[in-house]
């Protein structure tokens, strides 16, 4: 019985060890049905266009951009009218764009500027926190501040994940994983369709205000991190990996047949070392 449990746990761990991009749903985009009925979905072709930039500051409402955690409420019909079909699918229906398809992947962290919500134009991430995670989705390690994003536990893939939403309009941005670079150790893996990039040249006032908010948030925390991961986003994973660690160690310590293959005999111990490391890593993020 212990061997059966160990085999099941091993299969689960192999699934967890799959490439990071595998945690996303199959890439699709929306398009009107030829028959004029229900919305049909088709794969979206990767775009090689230059990153989209919002209009200059003179054409936008300054209070709307800088208001912290302002609440934007629209009906579903209004969202459909104001967003493109693909952006609506991602932001309002929690869809996922294909990897490597976003033009925002080409924006470098040294470019300066700000990534804002494509639905409500609220500042989300300073460009300096962007990095190449190798997943094919725009990735960041720290938002502007706690008024930029909010977190929801997502159980769609059974294993709990932390969904990232725009705090102003509730639009789905992507997910957060505890395997990013320092100083936060977090990876905000987001959909490019959910955001727009505003360069420093297009809006230097916005960039300056975002930096002010980030520095203020980091100062409150006593360090350089603007947003610490919520406890609720890490506890499910800590509990799950901790339980697996105990189960795997018990499997290793259980009596084995004399002719048991040494590879299978020691695999639970190796797997326990991995799940134990992940548990300790995630606990350290709460300290």
């Amino acid at each position: 019985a212990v061997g059966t449990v160990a085999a099941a746990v091993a299969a689960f761990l192999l699934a967890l060890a799959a490439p990071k991009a595998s945690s996303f749903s199959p890439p699709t985009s929306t398009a009107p049905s030829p028959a004029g009925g229900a919305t049909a979905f088709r794969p979206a072709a990767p775009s090689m266009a230059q990153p989209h930039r919002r209009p200059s500051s003179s054409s936008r409402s300054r209070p709307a951009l800088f208001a912290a955690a302002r609440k934007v409420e629209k009906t579903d019909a209004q969202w459909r009218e104001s967003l493109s079909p693909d952006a609506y699918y991602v932001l309002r229906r929690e869809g996922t764009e294909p990897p490597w398809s976003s033009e925002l992947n080409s924006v470098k962290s040294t470019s300066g500027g700000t990534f804002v919500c494509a639905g409500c134009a609220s500042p989300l991430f300073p460009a300096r926190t962007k990095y190449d995670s190798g997943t094919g989705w725009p990735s960041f390690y720290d938002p502007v501040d706690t008024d930029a994003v909010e977190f929801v536990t997502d159980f769609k893939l059974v294993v709990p994940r932390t969904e990232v939403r725009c705090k102003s309009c509730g639009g789905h941005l992507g997910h957060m994983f505890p395997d990013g670079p320092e100083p936060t150790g977090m990876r905000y893996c987001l959909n490019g369709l959910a955001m727009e990039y505003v360069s420093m040249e297009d809006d230097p006032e916005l960039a300056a205000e975002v930096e002010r908010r980030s520095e203020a948030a980091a100062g409150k925390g006593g360090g350089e991190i603007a947003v610490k991961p919520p406890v609720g986003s890490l506890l499910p994973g800590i509990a799950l990996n901790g339980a697996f660690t105990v189960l795997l160690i018990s499997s290793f310590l259980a009596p084995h047949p004399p002719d048991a293959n040494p590879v299978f005999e020691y695999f639970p111990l190796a797997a326990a070392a991995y799940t134990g490391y992940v548990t300790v890593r995630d606990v350290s993020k709460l300290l």
Side-chain angles (χ1 to χ4, degrees):
V2 172
T4 301
V5 172
V9 171
F12 181 81
L13 290 173
L14 290 175
L16 288 180
K20 299 181 181 73
S22 65
S23 62
F24 289 85
S25 59
T28 56
S29 67
T30 60
S33 171
T39 302
F41 298 90
R42 65 175 181 228
S47 171
M48 299 303 292
Q50 292 299 315
H52 175 67
R53 288 176 168 80
R54 294 186 59 82
S56 62
S57 59
S58 61
S59 64
R60 287 180 285 123
S61 169
R62 185 63 54 199
L65 274 175
F66 290 166
R70 64 189 179 93
K71 293 300 180 182
V72 177
E73 297 181 355
K74 295 183 180 181
T75 64
D76 185 68
Q78 289 174 326
W79 282 119
R80 285 182 180 272
E81 182 179 356
S82 62
L83 298 171
S84 69
D86 286 344
Y88 173 83
Y89 169 64
V90 170
L91 281 166
R92 312 314 305 180
R93 288 293 176 264
E94 302 178 5
T96 302
E97 69 189 14
W100 311 109
S101 65
S102 176
E103 57 194 28
L104 297 185
N105 281 320
S106 63
V107 179
K108 305 301 182 183
S109 60
T110 55
S111 302
T114 309
F115 289 84
V116 302
C117 177
C120 65
S122 296
L124 299 174
F125 293 85
R128 61 177 172 76
T129 67
K130 186 175 183 290
Y131 75 102
D132 184 4
S133 64
T135 61
W137 285 276
S139 299
F140 305 80
Y141 63 78
D142 203 18
V144 172
D145 55 20
T146 55
D147 287 323
V149 298
E150 61 184 1
F151 307 99
V152 178
T153 303
D154 176 8
F155 291 95
K156 291 180 180 178
L157 297 183
V158 182
V159 179
R161 298 182 300 168
T162 301
E163 179 189 354
V164 183
R165 295 180 181 177
C166 171
K167 194 167 186 176
S168 295
C169 68
H172 170 78
L173 302 174
H175 290 84
M176 180 181 70
F177 302 93
D179 57 7
E182 295 299 331
T184 66
M186 307 306 293
R187 170 170 59 97
Y188 293 81
C189 201
L190 310 179
N191 292 281
L193 285 167
M195 301 178 293
E196 292 179 346
Y197 170 62
V198 183
S199 69
M200 292 186 65
E201 293 77 14
D202 287 342
D203 200 332
E205 188 177 350
L206 170 62
E209 177 65 14
V210 165
E211 285 304 311
R212 185 197 65 77
R213 283 175 52 179
S214 294
E215 291 175 3
K220 290 179 181 178
E224 57 182 318
I225 300 175
V227 178
K228 291 186 177 181
V231 175
S233 70
L234 295 176
L235 285 182
I238 291 174
L240 188 64
N241 285 306
F244 279 152
T245 301
V246 173
L247 181 62
L248 288 164
I249 292 177
S250 299
S251 176
F252 172 74
L253 295 177
H256 295 275
D259 58 345
N261 189 320
V263 174
F264 291 101
E265 184 177 349
Y266 284 93
F267 178 79
L269 183 62
Y274 170 76
T275 56
Y277 159 75
V278 173
T279 302
V280 173
R281 179 198 67 187
D282 290 351
V283 168
S284 67
K285 295 181 186 298
L286 299 177
L287 301 180

